[in-house]
């Protein structure tokens, strides 16, 4: 069954005869903050081709995923079969969710509502701000928990974890470390009223960790590992928490000597690779490597690059693994260092150190501690070693030499020919607009007819191509990245993608038409690179 979690705050049901006012209302709602995150109205002309509805499925999907129904009554909407259908469906399926009635023309609302104090009078065109305030009052009830509450709770738990006399013995979970996770997970990110606090709690811990990273304290290492473990546990519970990793990358200081927030992101990827490899976000790993390349190659930054390589090594045989490897080998020096580490991994040991109990319990359910031997890296990946630019860094030259030696010792590989990738690679051009690049993954084309069904099938290793500028939030939580059709940078879909910290690129129609299911895509250095689906 498709994901029916609440994705929209208000489905705006109206007649197209009143489109100008409703567009104004939708824009004003989208600019309003509700408990730590923007409101998300659903308006057909923003997310569907005007007058070209493919059927009722798209409407019912949006209605089922809306927290409220806002009906704009005019004489035309009162006579509209579509408005009648939307109201009847919402009343039947919404299970007590509120309906907000807005009367734009006097006497147009149903007779039973005309004397109701709940009916919002919007007949005066000059009183929009007052009408908006009434709508917001209905759509934004006082939440049980605020952003400030979430931040204070997270602070308290983190303070209890931090004293120098508290250390996680051998990284085992402790009451203090589990209390931090409890403070972060007490807010349901799938609940519209709690989404903002859920994000705020994580980012409050991140701000504390960033401060801690500038000091030399015994608990600094544990704090980095703890935040990574908490994020991994959260993503196992709900993929919507993946946006935290992107926010941590954004929040990291480019010039940090020892980037604590990036360390937490890599730690999260490492734990997921051990417990739930299908939830490792390929694009986050690539972007983290690029972020490391934005600063001076300090020892801690190089150590993180090697750890990224170990995570990538564990998933290098996944569907999108080869293109992630290729993107790393064409990145900066840190990305190339990660590439060397990724292709020389041979053994994956399943037992590990965990800082929170849910991860330790998930690992224990996988069985006894075992060592899994990885197959040899592909010929293509091995051949890339011969072309790596060392950027005049001796440590990178040494890493390449060591990688060749290790491949010979581990897999008997001692021939490093010229890459054959060129025959399987093409450049699709420069995107018109992009956000949170670089990213990478397997291409999945989403159309008017398959968008809803795709929601249960796409994963973090996929780049979903939205062939029309339509919003399907269920895809946003699951896809690793999005490529969308040409539209204004301030369009509703673009704003939603940004607010959810989803990597995306906006491309021209000709580029979109050339993208095929199953191909692999990498967006780096302002170019889209496409790899054939059947590459060796």
């Amino acid at each position: 069954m498709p994901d029916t979690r609440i994705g929209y705050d208000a489905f705006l049901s109206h007649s197209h005869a009143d489109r100008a006012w409703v567009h104004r209302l939708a824009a004003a709602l989208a600019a309003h903050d509700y408990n730590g995150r923007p409101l998300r109205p659903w308006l057909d002309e923003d997310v569907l081709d005007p007058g070209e509805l493919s059927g009722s499925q798209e409407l019912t999907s949006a209605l089922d995923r809306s927290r409220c129904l806002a009906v704009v009554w005019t004489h035309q909407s009162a006579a509209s079969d579509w408005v009648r259908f939307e109201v009847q469906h919402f009343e039947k399926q919404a299970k007590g969710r509120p309906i907000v009635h807005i009367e734009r023309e006097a006497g147009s609302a149903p007779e039973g509502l005309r004397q109701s104090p709940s009916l919002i009078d919007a007949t005066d065109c000059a009183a929009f701000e007052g009408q908006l305030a009434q709508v917001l009052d209905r759509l934004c009830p006082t939440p049980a928990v605020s952003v400030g509450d979430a931040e204070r709770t997270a602070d308290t738990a983190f303070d209890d974890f931090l004293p120098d006399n508290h250390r996680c013995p051998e990284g085992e979970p402790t009451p203090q470390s589990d209390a931090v996770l409890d403070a972060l997970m007490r807010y349901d990110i799938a609940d519209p009223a709690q989404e903002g606090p859920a994000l705020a709690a994580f980012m409050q811990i991140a701000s504390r960790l960033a401060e801690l990273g500038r000091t030399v304290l015994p608990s600094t290492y544990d704090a980095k590992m703890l935040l990574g473990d908490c994020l991994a546990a959260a993503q196992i519970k709900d993929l919507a928490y993946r946006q935290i990793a992107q926010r941590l990358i954004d929040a990291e200081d480019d010039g940090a000597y020892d980037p604590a927030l990036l360390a937490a992101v890599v730690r999260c990827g490492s734990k997921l690779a051990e417990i739930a490899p299908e939830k490792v976000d390929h694009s986050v790993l690539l972007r983290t490597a690029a972020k490391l390349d934005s600063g001076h190659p300090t020892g801690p930054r190089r150590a993180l690059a090697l750890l990224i390589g170990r995570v990538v090594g564990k998933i290098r045989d996944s569907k999108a693994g080869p293109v992630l490897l290729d993107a790393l080998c064409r990145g900066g020096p840190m990305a190339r260092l990660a590439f060397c580490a990724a292709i020389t991994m041979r053994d994956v040991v399943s037992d590990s150190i965990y800082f929170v109990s849910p991860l330790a319990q998930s690992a224990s359910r996988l069985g006894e501690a075992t060592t899994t031997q990885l197959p040899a890296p592909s010929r293509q990946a091995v051949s890339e070693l011969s072309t790596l630019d060392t950027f005049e860094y001796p440590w990178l030259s040494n890493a390449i030499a060591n990688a060749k030696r290790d491949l010979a010792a581990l897999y008997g590989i001692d021939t490093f020919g010229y890459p054959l990738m060129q025959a399987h690679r093409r450049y699709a051009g420069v995107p018109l607009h992009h956000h949170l690049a670089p990213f990478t993954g397997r291409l999945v084309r989403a159309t008017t007819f398959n968008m809803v069904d795709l929601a249960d099938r796409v994963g973090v290793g996929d780049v979903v191509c939205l062939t029309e500028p339509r919003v399907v939030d269920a895809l946003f939580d699951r896809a690793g990245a999005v490529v969308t059709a040409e539209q204004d940078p301030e369009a509703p879909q673009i704003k939603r993608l940004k607010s959810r910290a989803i990597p995306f690129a906006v491309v021209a129609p000709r580029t979109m038409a050339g993208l095929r299911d199953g191909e692999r895509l990498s967006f780096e250095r302002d170019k889209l690179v496409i790899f054939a689906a059947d590459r060796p």
Side-chain angles (χ1 to χ4, degrees):
M1 294 291 294
D3 188 349
T4 55
R5 75 166 64 202
I6 299 300
Y8 313 107
D9 290 292
F11 182 109
L12 301 182
S13 179
H14 69 292
S15 165
H16 287 176
D18 205 30
R19 68 182 65 186
W21 188 88
V22 176
H23 269 280
R24 185 183 180 188
L25 174 64
L29 292 177
H32 185 79
D33 180 271
Y34 175 50
N35 205 22
R37 52 90 178 169
L39 281 175
R40 302 185 186 108
W42 191 96
L43 179 61
D44 59 356
E45 292 187 22
D46 284 339
V47 300
L48 294 169
D49 288 344
E52 296 179 2
L53 303 182
S54 62
S56 63
Q57 183 182 22
E58 294 181 47
L59 288 177
T60 57
S61 175
L63 284 163
D64 293 344
R65 302 185 68 245
S66 295
R67 181 167 60 88
C68 303
L69 174 66
V71 187
V72 180
W73 291 109
T74 61
H75 293 298
Q76 290 90 343
S77 65
S80 168
D81 291 338
W82 281 114
V83 171
R84 187 179 303 110
F85 169 83
E86 291 159 4
V87 173
Q88 291 175 349
H89 180 89
F90 194 83
E91 288 178 334
K92 181 178 179 181
Q93 302 294 334
K95 299 179 180 179
R97 281 177 263 161
I99 299 179
V100 179
H101 296 279
I102 307 167
E103 188 173 51
R104 284 282 295 142
E105 292 181 350
S108 60
E111 186 173 352
L113 292 172
R114 292 175 191 171
Q115 303 304 318
S116 172
S118 64
L119 180 65
I120 296 174
D121 182 357
T123 56
D124 184 356
C125 295
F128 179 79
E129 294 302 324
Q131 298 156 9
L132 173 63
Q134 293 184 68
V135 175
L136 288 172
D137 185 60
R138 309 286 175 83
L139 294 183
C140 303
T142 302
V145 59
S146 69
V147 166
D149 295 332
E151 292 173 342
R152 286 186 289 272
T153 301
D155 262 337
T156 299
F158 198 61
D159 284 337
D160 290 342
F161 173 81
L162 276 184
D164 291 343
N165 61 358
H166 170 67
R167 296 296 306 276
C168 293
E170 298 300 325
E172 295 176 2
T174 67
Q176 293 89 345
S177 61
D178 281 345
V180 173
L181 178 62
D182 290 342
L184 294 174
M185 298 302 293
R186 76 172 49 182
Y187 313 107
D188 184 2
I189 200 169
D191 182 338
Q194 297 186 43
E195 179 184 347
L199 297 175
F202 265 98
M203 296 312 297
Q204 181 63 18
I205 297 292
S207 67
R208 298 289 304 278
L209 177 57
E211 294 174 4
L212 196 65
R214 302 185 189 100
T215 65
V216 182
L217 294 174
S219 52
T220 301
Y221 173 82
D222 288 352
K224 291 187 288 189
M225 300 301 101
L226 172 63
L227 180 57
D229 280 16
C230 288
L231 183 53
Q235 289 185 204
I236 289 174
K237 179 182 178 181
D238 194 322
L239 280 173
Y241 283 100
R242 289 186 306 118
Q243 62 180 296
I244 300 293
Q246 296 285 6
R247 296 175 191 272
L248 293 180
I249 296 172
D250 281 339
E252 185 61 89
D253 179 4
D254 285 351
Y257 176 82
D258 186 0
L261 301 185
L262 297 188
V265 171
V266 177
R267 170 73 177 190
C268 171
S270 177
K271 297 301 99 180
L272 289 176
E274 296 172 6
I275 297 172
E278 73 283 358
K279 295 190 176 184
V280 176
D281 195 321
H282 297 61
S283 296
V284 161
L285 293 174
L286 182 60
R287 188 168 179 240
T288 303
K291 186 77 169 186
L292 288 173
D293 276 320
S294 67
H296 187 70
T298 63
R301 296 175 83 93
R302 282 151 53 189
L304 269 183
L306 291 172
L307 288 175
I308 291 174
R310 290 191 59 80
V311 178
V312 175
K314 296 173 186 178
I315 59 172
R316 69 187 184 209
D317 288 328
S318 64
K319 290 181 180 179
V323 70
L324 175 55
L325 283 173
D326 189 79
L328 286 172
C329 78
R330 289 183 292 109
M334 294 296 188
R336 296 182 181 214
L337 182 60
F339 171 80
C340 291
I343 66 169
T344 55
M345 276 195 66
R346 181 182 181 182
D347 299 324
V348 178
V349 181
S350 61
D351 63 333
S352 187
I353 295 172
Y354 301 94
F355 281 69
V356 294
S357 295
L359 287 190
Q361 293 163 3
S362 296
S364 67
R365 287 194 291 269
L366 296 178
E368 295 294 328
T370 58
T371 300
T372 302
Q373 187 172 6
L374 293 169
S378 68
R379 288 182 300 146
Q380 176 59 45
V382 170
S383 66
E384 294 284 2
L385 278 173
S386 300
T387 66
L388 289 187
D389 188 335
T390 64
F391 294 91
E392 299 181 355
Y393 289 119
W395 51 265
L396 184 53
S397 298
N398 291 337
I400 295 170
N402 291 339
K404 291 181 177 180
R405 186 185 65 244
D406 291 344
L407 287 171
L410 296 173
Y411 297 107
I413 298 173
D414 55 10
T415 301
F416 306 94
Y418 189 78
L420 302 175
M421 176 64 76
Q422 196 62 38
H424 303 275
R425 177 195 300 148
R426 61 184 171 84
Y427 291 94
V430 178
L432 305 173
H433 183 61
H434 61 83
H435 184 60
L436 301 182
F439 56 80
T440 186
R442 184 177 64 93
L443 285 167
V444 179
R445 284 179 66 88
T447 68
T448 302
F449 302 100
N450 73 356
M451 278 183 173
V452 174
D453 292 337
L454 277 179
D456 281 343
R457 294 194 280 117
V458 299
V460 295
D462 295 324
V463 176
V464 175
C465 300
L466 299 177
T467 56
E468 300 174 49
R470 305 180 178 200
V471 177
V472 179
D473 281 13
L475 292 175
F476 295 171
D477 286 342
R478 297 174 181 271
V482 167
V483 173
T484 186
E486 181 176 358
Q487 57 188 295
D488 189 282
E490 295 301 311
Q493 185 183 73
I494 300 303
K495 289 183 176 179
R496 295 248 178 102
L497 287 167
K498 288 182 176 180
S499 74
R500 302 283 285 270
I502 307 298
F504 69 87
V506 179
V507 300
R510 182 176 179 180
T511 300
M512 178 64 76
L515 302 179
R516 299 286 180 265
D517 269 328
E519 292 181 322
R520 274 89 170 170
L521 177 146
S522 180
F523 175 45
E524 59 216 57
R525 299 184 181 182
D526 294 331
K527 290 183 180 180
L528 288 176
V529 184
I530 309 298
F531 306 91
D534 58 349
R535 58 166 292 199

